[in-house]
Amino acid sequence: MLPGSIQISGETLSGAEIRDICESLRENSVRLLSLRGCQLSERDFGHVCRGVAESRSLAQLNLNLGIVSNINRVKQLAEALKTNRSVQSLFLHGSPLTDAGLALLNPALSIHPSLVALDLGDCMLGDEGINLICGLLPPDGAKSGLKELTLSANPGITSKGWGRLAIAVAHSSQLRVLNLDYNPLGDQVAGMLAVAVASSRTLEVLDLEGTGLTNQSAQTLLDMVENYPTALRTLILAENNISPELQQQISDLLSEGEEEEEMEAHEVTAREKNPWICQNNSSSQMVLMTSGLGDSLLAETEM
């Protein structure tokens, strides 16, 4: 039987329900475990962590909305992740981790062999937390790193912290999706991020919804999209003080890039099918994809 999923939201879980969940984890019959907003005892949380540690099938673990509610639970989760080898996506959105909690969790995150998607939105993080997160964005392919990172609604991070993250993003060899929505970034941080996007060879989606941007930021981002061959496909600017005209210009440029990429892909396919087709030296260089991410690792489960 193929691994399935267990998804429960906002329930108070009994000991019997926890035993069933843990048995399924140990039997490797669960690929997705989501307990978002559920209530469970300290003892039962420990049982779940031991089940996670033993599972070889679990790919996505959703503990959003306060499940990891204290330092003791952070420690238990860290121990589980040190043993687990299968989890690819970890969701802790809405957990009061703080920088201290992330410091306890970070050693397990940094050595995990499969983790590629991490949601730390609304986790009360600051600049020290950002320093740790930057270590999960390695600058070359020699070490595995995150492909998707969510840091929504962490207002304790200062412009200095965001600047450090921008540098890490610019040099990351793997990051494809970055969600920074509902942080008070402002135009200064947006300028840093524009430079990071222009430098990145992999970043395809950037979410800046509700981040306090103005037309100044939009113009900088427009210039970046217009003048640099970025990998960016999707740029989300909703709920900012940006004119519809500028947003449309950026959207149009991203769409143009996508069309050029599709044309190039068709040409490559044609050449592969018929190797006798001559390549025109005057054809434009291949343009990286610029709109619409494929299947997202964060898409299977809700926040």
Side-chain angles (χ1 to χ4, degrees), residues 55-121:
S55 177
R56 297 188 304 276
S57 65
L58 186 64
Q60 295 196 25
L61 178 60
N62 185 330
L63 300 176
N64 285 348
L65 304 182
I67 302 296
V68 186
S69 56
N70 56 54
I71 289 296
N72 184 53
R73 292 191 177 194
V74 173
K75 292 178 179 178
Q76 292 183 82
L77 178 60
E79 288 302 313
L81 292 174
K82 285 179 181 177
T83 303
N84 176 277
R85 291 291 180 267
S86 63
V87 170
Q88 299 172 24
S89 302
L90 177 63
F91 303 80
L92 298 175
H93 202 110
S95 302
L97 285 182
T98 72
D99 290 349
L102 184 57
L104 292 173
L105 194 59
N106 185 66
L109 300 178
S110 61
I111 65 170
H112 198 284
S114 302
L115 186 69
V116 292
L118 180 63
D119 186 341
L120 295 176

Side-chain angles (χ1 to χ4, degrees), residues 205-273:
V205 177
L206 177 60
D207 187 350
L208 298 177
E209 180 175 358
T211 51
L213 308 188
T214 70
N215 284 345
Q216 177 184 331
S217 295
Q219 188 62 57
T220 300
L221 292 164
L222 176 63
D223 292 342
M224 178 270 297
V225 172
E226 190 171 21
N227 296 308
Y228 292 88
T230 74
L232 197 66
R233 295 177 174 184
T234 301
L235 177 60
I236 302 172
L237 296 172
E239 297 191 32
N240 286 296
N241 189 23
I242 296 174
S243 70
E245 292 79 12
L246 275 173
Q247 293 196 48
Q248 189 61 51
Q249 284 181 271
I250 294 172
S251 178
D252 290 345
L253 282 171
L254 293 176
S255 297
E256 288 175 10
E258 180 185 16
E259 291 171 1
E260 292 180 21
E261 164 61 22
E262 290 176 353
M263 291 178 62
E264 179 67 24
H266 288 314
E267 291 176 5
V268 171
T269 301
R271 287 196 298 272
E272 289 175 348
K273 290 182 178 179

Side-chain angles (χ1 to χ4, degrees), residues 12-64:
T12 298
L13 300 177
S14 67
E17 289 172 318
I18 293 296
R19 285 192 293 274
D20 289 342
I21 291 170
C22 292
E23 182 177 353
S24 296
L25 287 169
R26 286 192 292 269
E27 291 176 351
N28 299 310
S29 61
V30 179
R31 179 174 175 80
L32 164 61
L33 174 61
S34 176
L35 303 177
R36 60 189 297 274
C38 290
Q39 301 293 322
L40 61 162
S41 68
E42 294 297 315
R43 180 180 179 181
D44 285 342
F45 182 85
H47 289 324
V48 170
C49 286
R50 285 190 285 276
V52 168
E54 296 175 23
S55 177
R56 297 188 304 276
S57 65
L58 186 64
Q60 295 196 25
L61 178 60
N62 185 330
L63 300 176
N64 285 348

